Amino acid sequence: MKMFEYMGKELFAKYGIPTPKGRMAKTPEEAEKIAAEIGGPCVVKSQVLSGKRGKAGGIKFPNTPEEAKKAAEEVLSMTIQGLPVECVLVEEKLKIDKELYMSITVDGSAKQAVMIASAYGGMEIEAQPEEYIIKKHIDPELGMHPFFARDVVRRMGVELRSPHGKEMINIIQTLYKICKEKDAELVEINPLVFSDDRVIAADSKVTIDEDALFRMKELPFVEDKSPAERAAADLGLSFVDLDGDIAVMANGAGITMGTLDTLQAFGGTPRNFLDCGGGTGREATAKALDILLGLEPKGMFINIFGGITRCDDVANAFKDVYEARGGFPVPVVIRLVGTNQDAGREILRSIGVEAFDFMEDAAKRIIELTK
Amino acid sequence: MAIIIDENTNVLVMGITGRQASFHTKQMLAYGTKIVAGCTPGKGGQEVEGVPVYNTVREACEKHRIDASVIFVPAPGTKDAALENLEAGVKVVVIITEGVPVYDEIDIVAYARRKGAYVLGPNTFGIVSGGKCKMGIPPNQYFIEGDVGVVARSGTLTYEIVGNLTANGLGQSTVVGMGGDRAVGLTFVDVLKMFEKDDQTKAVVLIGEIGGNNEEIAAEYIKEMTKPVVAFIAGKSAPPGKRMGHAGAIIERGKGTYQGKVEALTAAGAKVAPLPFEVPALIKEALGRK
């Protein structure tokens, strides 16, 4: 779950990482009030879960509270990459002497968290050559210690005993603490700013591990999914919008990807990715079928190789939806093999549907039917 | 021979009294797996499918030799369950559970390394040594004994490909599910090394997917292998920036793409099947069989 910039900064501030003066506003009047409190040049930043806010005009630099009100009014009426701006962050405008980069994320290959840092942060971080990027893994059994932070700061070329160095040593250790305590799979500060003697997190990007939300109840909820993605997520399923016309349901991420690849290889275009694996029961599977039909596809392709998913559960769900709707409005092809396969096929036969044995035959058939 | 587990492996089922675990205990027993014990805290003294249930793993280990455990407990309790088995000295821990927090996974994997144990998963279908032993949830009828080793990140895609192998008369030495999550216990290279040494295995199928760089690292090792490798990579049609179900299956910043993986594997001498059902023909070709 991605967090808005202002939420990330609130989290940083709570943990003692310096952030710019200011806070979130939902109305131009609030923005004006905050700007007056700050009492000088400000920044008004749109709060949306997408990058490229600056390029879209979603960041403004008013000099007075009146200008801040006007800037907030403009930004609050914007839509950035399809996302309406619902709030802004009003902050002091920093004097920027230098921009740096810091993040901690999970490296799946190393099976460890990794600190990534650079003395050259800001907009162009991804274009920096490898030699300017510092990567240092955090041994989970050892944990985070001051020496680790000192070594990162040294490699960033910052004097350890300088005010900047001392603050950075604190920030590095704190970032890991946030990762562990909040189950953050990413915490990123870009840029981390030197402003006279201060070191300040001028931006924040925090992503909480969705699998850990059950134990992160005190965090604010952020909706970062489309309606269909949300409907599927509420059923415990994973859905991704694509732009074709054949709705797809399969059980397991790998086989779902393989199904999309196969459809595409034979000239079909998938409407979506929907993984209903992991032992999804009859009721949730039926609801998932309803989500797919709600997309108004030209056809629907169900590809099940049952392991923990049971073919009879899928067939019963299929039958439930079929009966509730008095048939399907579009051609539907189902391939059904694996655990409880015979029982599943018997159920399908009771409504006159014959399941396929092989994915390639089934894929070819749905493409034929939707041509 | 097979790798990791065989007909002599004594298995414990963790969380055996649960709905999924008891169903799959029955299936595993039917496959021939030697399940000697189950464990569910607070339910010791019961039996599930004739298997005695204990309160703790240590208690089970006092009564039986436990070579391997398969974990079916819900995600919030998975770390505790995995550590309990590792601490008790179990050398193979197969974690079926999905949705385990990634920092829990990191802790499990780190402790397993220290104990010199193998962890499969989290979020794996398990492991099957053809005709000998099955730990996990794959459907029994598609897994037969033979000389093809299979290693995969994804479960049902593996059934798909193993089903195709079996339909073409190609049995398996061992089918290894590493798990679909980011921080899982084994790497492709770990498993490829075991297959390279295993007498029974004559060829290997590697089932990968977009995201991460596991396949690229595997390609480096495949260059040194004497046994032929056939690969399938899922996610050719996936758009960048969209996570395809598995935590790892996402093309980020132009890395982990289908094309990059296929090029690395092909350059290493592996044959890449464009579609899942094209794998058996490539294996037959590699083994000089018709």
Side-chain angles (χ1 to χ4, degrees):
Chain A
M1 182 186 76
K2 290 179 185 161
M3 295 179 81
F4 288 110
E5 178 195 358
Y6 79 88
M7 292 175 174
K9 282 181 168 166
E10 284 171 7
L11 199 60
F12 286 173
K14 212 169 102 190
Y15 276 85
I17 295 176
T19 54
K21 270 181 255 166
R23 58 180 195 275
M24 183 269 278
K26 286 187 170 166
T27 65
E29 290 71 30
E30 276 179 76
E32 183 182 17
K33 187 165 161 265
I34 297 165
E37 285 166 22
I38 293 167
C42 291
V43 192
V44 172
K45 300 171 92 176
S46 55
Q47 297 295 292
V48 283
L49 299 173
S50 93
K52 304 193 176 89
R53 288 177 301 174
K55 281 179 190 152
I59 300 179
K60 310 239 177 252
F61 301 92
N63 286 309
T64 64
E66 294 71 39
E67 281 179 35
K69 183 181 175 188
K70 200 166 157 275
E73 215 168 73
E74 271 176 56
V75 173
L76 284 166
S77 66
M78 292 174 73
T79 300
I80 297 176
Q81 294 190 327
L83 303 163
V85 180
E86 284 169 4
C87 58
V88 293
L89 179 58
V90 185
E91 289 181 338
E92 63 173 316
K93 188 179 176 200
L94 296 170
K95 168 175 172 286
I96 296 173
D97 300 328
K98 186 175 171 53
E99 292 188 323
L100 305 92
Y101 175 91
M102 267 186 197
S103 71
I104 296 179
T105 186
V106 173
D107 177 352
S109 299
K111 304 153 202 308
Q112 291 182 340
V114 61
M115 169 105 215
I116 302 172
S118 176
Y120 306 92
M123 302 272 275
E124 304 305 326
I125 183 68
E126 285 180 36
Q128 293 296 341
E130 281 291 317
E131 60 262 34
Y132 292 158
I133 307 284
I134 296 152
K135 287 186 186 168
K136 193 173 164 79
H137 286 93
I138 303 161
D139 182 332
E141 294 197 273
L142 192 58
M144 174 59 76
H145 296 275
F147 76 82
F148 181 103
R150 288 198 297 272
D151 192 50
V152 173
V153 173
R154 172 192 67 87
R155 289 170 65 186
M156 290 172 86
V158 177
E159 177 57 47
L160 295 187
R161 289 174 178 279
S162 69
H164 292 151
K166 285 182 191 165
E167 187 68 78
M168 286 164 73
I169 290 167
N170 281 330
I171 293 173
I172 290 167
Q173 295 177 76
T174 308
L175 285 180
Y176 186 64
K177 195 166 183 224
I178 295 174
C179 283
K180 290 287 285 181
E181 290 185 1
K182 299 297 173 198
D183 279 296
E185 53 184 34
L186 171 72
V187 290
E188 183 181 77
I189 306 176
N190 187 34
L192 181 74
V193 162
F194 285 0
S195 183
D196 296 325
D197 272 355
R198 294 198 292 164
V199 181
I200 303 168
D203 200 351
S204 85
K205 200 179 266 180
V206 177
T207 306
I208 306 295
D209 180 1
E210 304 236 344
D211 290 331
L213 288 178
F214 69 87
R215 62 187 181 200
M216 288 298 131
K217 301 230 185 292
E218 81 282 12
L219 285 177
F221 174 77
V222 180
E223 182 55 88
D224 58 355
K225 294 181 164 52
S226 76
E229 283 170 0
R230 168 53 54 203
D234 288 344
L235 297 172
L237 312 178
S238 155
F239 176 98
V240 179
D241 256 315
L242 300 170
D243 48 18
D245 49 28
I246 299 173
V248 175
M249 174 161 101
N251 63 317
I255 203 172
T256 311
M257 279 189 270
T259 306
L260 303 182
D261 295 345
T262 303
L263 271 180
Q264 206 159 65
F266 292 151
T269 59
R271 172 67 185 81
N272 68 284
F273 169 104
L274 176 60
D275 167 12
C276 70
T280 308
R282 174 175 179 168
E283 210 173 309
T285 305
K287 285 183 183 155
L289 288 169
D290 278 327
I291 293 173
L292 290 187
L293 290 167
L295 300 170
E296 299 181 352
K298 271 168 79 177
M300 186 160 73
F301 180 25
I302 302 163
N303 184 18
I304 304 295
F305 207 127
I308 204 157
T309 300
R310 301 177 196 177
C311 290
D312 51 335
D313 279 346
V314 176
N316 271 319
F318 188 90
K319 186 176 167 219
D320 292 344
V321 176
Y322 181 90
E323 284 172 351
R325 289 176 175 255
F328 292 117
V330 291
V332 176
V333 169
I334 180 164
R335 183 269 188 130
L336 191 66
V337 294
T339 305
N340 294 355
Q341 160 182 332
D342 295 339
R345 291 180 166 217
E346 206 47 54
I347 295 161
L348 290 181
R349 267 184 219 115
S350 74
I351 53 169
V353 173
E354 199 58 44
F356 281 77
D357 284 315
F358 293 99
M359 164 153 72
E360 62 267 40
D361 300 335
K364 283 176 183 161
R365 182 72 184 139
I366 188 66
I367 291 167
E368 255 172 49
L369 290 172
T370 52
K371 271 246 161 80
Chain B
M1 269 290 289
I3 66 168
I4 304 177
I5 59 169
D6 59 28
E7 67 273 29
N8 299 314
T9 303
N10 278 359
V11 172
L12 175 144
V13 178
M14 197 72 190
I16 192 166
T17 50
R19 175 177 174 261
Q20 293 291 2
S22 54
F23 176 82
H24 286 286
T25 294
K26 193 173 174 182
Q27 301 291 322
M28 286 187 276
L29 288 167
Y31 195 79
T33 305
K34 278 177 67 183
I35 301 178
V36 297
C39 175
T40 300
K43 301 215 170 160
Q46 302 182 7
E47 279 195 356
V48 172
E49 302 294 334
V51 175
V53 180
Y54 299 94
N55 279 316
T56 70
V57 175
R58 282 280 178 184
E59 187 187 5
C61 288
E62 285 165 13
K63 306 279 170 50
H64 309 271
R65 187 192 84 230
I66 307 291
D67 301 309
S69 293
V70 55
I71 294 180
F72 282 95
V73 305
T78 297
K79 176 175 162 180
D80 185 36
L83 296 181
E84 180 178 3
N85 278 277
L86 291 166
E87 194 273 338
V90 179
K91 291 298 175 199
V92 176
V93 175
V94 179
I95 306 172
I96 307 301
T97 315
E98 44 177 327
V100 177
V102 71
Y103 278 100
D104 288 3
E105 298 181 339
I106 287 172
D107 289 344
I108 294 167
V109 172
Y111 187 55
R113 276 188 187 165
R114 180 137 69 84
K115 298 289 278 185
Y118 295 133
V119 167
L120 285 79
N123 193 11
T124 176
F125 61 88
I127 175 170
V128 188
S129 285
K132 301 186 179 94
C133 181
K134 179 184 96 165
M135 294 177 69
I137 57 176
N140 289 350
Q141 66 268 35
Y142 297 97
F143 291 74
I144 61 168
E145 185 162 6
D147 55 12
V148 180
V150 180
V151 58
R153 284 211 239 170
S154 158
T156 42
L157 185 57
T158 302
Y159 312 162
E160 180 71 44
I161 288 172
V162 169
N164 277 299
L165 288 172
T166 298
N168 282 277
L170 294 163
Q172 305 89 42
S173 52
T174 303
V175 180
V176 180
M178 300 193 304
D181 285 359
R182 265 178 311 175
V184 296
L186 294 177
T187 64
F188 278 124
V189 175
D190 295 332
V191 182
L192 289 173
K193 281 183 177 165
M194 290 187 247
F195 279 138
E196 176 74 2
K197 274 194 236 154
D198 176 46
D199 292 339
Q200 189 183 334
T201 305
K202 300 286 184 256
V204 180
V205 177
L206 180 154
I207 305 171
E209 61 192 36
I210 54 161
N213 63 348
N214 263 298
E215 291 78 3
E216 287 86 339
I217 295 170
E220 287 302 307
Y221 177 69
I222 290 172
K223 285 180 190 163
E224 301 168 21
M225 285 178 70
T226 60
K227 295 176 183 175
V229 175
V230 172
F232 172 76
I233 306 294
K236 186 181 183 181
S237 59
K242 300 235 178 183
R243 181 181 282 189
M244 289 301 188
H246 284 159
I250 179 169
I251 300 167
E252 279 177 304
R253 298 178 178 172
K255 288 192 178 151
T257 65
Y258 178 82
Q259 212 50 44
K261 289 177 191 294
V262 170
E263 276 163 21
L265 289 163
T266 307
K271 293 268 186 295
V272 180
L275 293 171
F277 53 88
E278 292 168 316
V279 169
L282 291 175
I283 285 285
K284 284 187 176 176
E285 197 184 299
L287 292 172
R289 289 182 203 156
K290 290 208 169 155

